């Protein structure tokens, strides 16, 4: 049985997810903690639940979703994983992204040692997540889907009643709409959608009500 804990971090109200099951093995999706208070909230939940962090997954390489990767690497020795096309020659560094958004401070990129391919299975404990390639918000955004647990983590592709912006590097509106319709709205209607910002929703609700998904 999967347990999902959501934390809302940093200036952008980004959702960081801590996911685990009865084995206490866990993964983090989109680590966005940016200060000591947020780092303590996340590490405290890990400690309180006696979790073993196995993977650090990034749906895409935007500042608000990866700014906490350095903390996880230093604290637990876990490197981030994402699709290789998120880290191409046209991708601004973490520091460049921070400057673009006028965020104070100095930020260092964490090396990605394993790149996740489309349809790759991410395993931890008894949980199996399938990586779905959903580009459009960014060059190669990933969503992580568990058929058994009826959940999908969509990053900034699909939100409650909305979709991700497409005016940043590598974004494309038509590509995003195609990704959503072909990869996300084809999932069972009772699949719970955990987005990168805002409240959770369901595939069925978005298919019926999202104005971008008609």
């Amino acid at each position: 049985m999967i347990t999902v804990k959501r934390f809302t971090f940093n200036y952008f109200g980004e959702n960081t997810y801590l996911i685990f099951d009865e084995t206490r093995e866990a993964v983090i999706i989109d680590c966005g903690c940016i200060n000591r208070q947020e780092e303590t909230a996340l590490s405290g939940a890990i400690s309180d639940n006696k979790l073993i962090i196995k993977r650090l997954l990034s749906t895409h390489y935007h500042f608000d979703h990866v700014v906490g990767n350095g903390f996880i690497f230093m604290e637990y020795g876990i490197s981030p994983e994402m699709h290789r096309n998120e880290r191409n020659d046209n991708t601004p560094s973490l520091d460049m992204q921070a400057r673009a958004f006028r965020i104070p401070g100095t930020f260092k990129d964490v090396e990605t040692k394993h790149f996740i391919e489309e349809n790759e299975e991410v395993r931890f404990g008894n949980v199996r997540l399938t990586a779905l390639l959903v580009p459009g918000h960014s060059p190669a955004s990933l969503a992580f889907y568990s058929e058994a647990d009826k959940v999908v983590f969509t990053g900034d592709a699909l939100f409650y009643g909305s979709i991700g912006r497409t005016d940043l590097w590598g974004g494309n509106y038509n590509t995003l709409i195609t990704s959503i319709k072909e990869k996300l709205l084809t999932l069972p209607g009772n699949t719970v959608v955990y987005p990168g910002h805002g409240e959770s929703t369901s595939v069925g609700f978005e298919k019926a009500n999202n104005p971008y998904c008609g």
Side-chain angles (χ1 to χ4, degrees):
M1 180 73 177
I2 194 171
T3 297
V4 178
K5 290 189 175 295
R6 185 187 73 180
F7 303 83
T8 302
F9 287 150
N10 67 56
Y11 308 109
F12 299 92
E14 178 268 353
N15 290 334
T16 293
Y17 294 101
L18 176 62
I19 310 158
F20 58 95
D21 71 357
E22 63 277 0
T23 69
R24 311 323 258 178
E25 290 192 356
V27 301
I28 298 167
I29 297 180
D30 287 353
C31 190
C33 49
I34 199 171
N35 56 43
R36 190 57 191 162
Q37 181 179 359
E38 293 179 352
E39 292 169 355
T40 299
L42 181 56
S43 62
I46 293 169
S47 177
D48 290 346
N49 289 280
K50 299 180 172 58
L51 302 181
I52 304 167
I53 303 300
K54 305 298 290 187
R55 312 278 289 264
L56 172 58
L57 309 177
S58 297
T59 60
H60 62 293
Y61 199 74
H62 283 174
F63 178 90
D64 51 330
H65 291 259
V66 299
V67 65
N69 285 355
F71 167 70
I72 297 301
F73 180 74
M74 294 296 295
E75 191 78 4
Y76 303 100
I78 305 294
S79 298
E81 304 176 48
M82 66 193 75
H83 194 280
R84 67 178 63 254
N85 289 341
E86 283 294 298
R87 300 297 305 274
N88 58 45
D89 293 339
N90 296 318
T91 304
S93 69
L94 201 60
D95 220 28
M96 292 170 64
Q97 293 184 43
R99 290 199 297 272
F101 288 108
R102 294 185 171 87
I103 296 171
T106 301
F107 303 91
K108 293 184 179 181
D109 295 286
V110 180
E111 181 183 2
T112 303
K113 296 182 179 180
H114 173 72
F115 291 103
I116 299 175
E117 301 296 332
E118 183 175 14
N119 297 320
E120 182 175 330
E121 192 172 69
V122 176
R123 300 184 178 191
F124 61 100
N126 297 316
V127 180
R128 303 291 181 267
L129 299 176
T130 301
L132 308 177
L133 185 60
V134 290
H137 173 68
S138 68
S141 299
L142 293 172
F144 296 99
Y145 170 56
S146 171
E147 180 179 10
D149 294 292
K150 300 180 178 62
V151 298
V152 63
F153 300 87
T154 59
D156 285 1
L158 180 65
F159 301 134
Y160 172 75
S162 189
I163 61 172
R165 63 189 291 185
T166 57
D167 59 338
L168 299 174
W169 52 93
N172 183 281
Y173 178 82
N174 291 332
T175 299
L176 179 57
I177 294 300
T178 298
S179 295
I180 291 170
K181 289 183 176 181
E182 293 184 355
K183 300 295 183 65
L184 300 177
L185 298 187
T186 54
L187 300 176
N190 62 347
T191 303
V192 177
V193 175
Y194 289 102
H197 301 267
E199 297 301 317
S200 60
T201 180
S202 72
V203 168
F205 180 88
E206 297 310 313
K207 194 171 183 178
N209 297 282
N210 193 310
Y212 297 95
C213 298

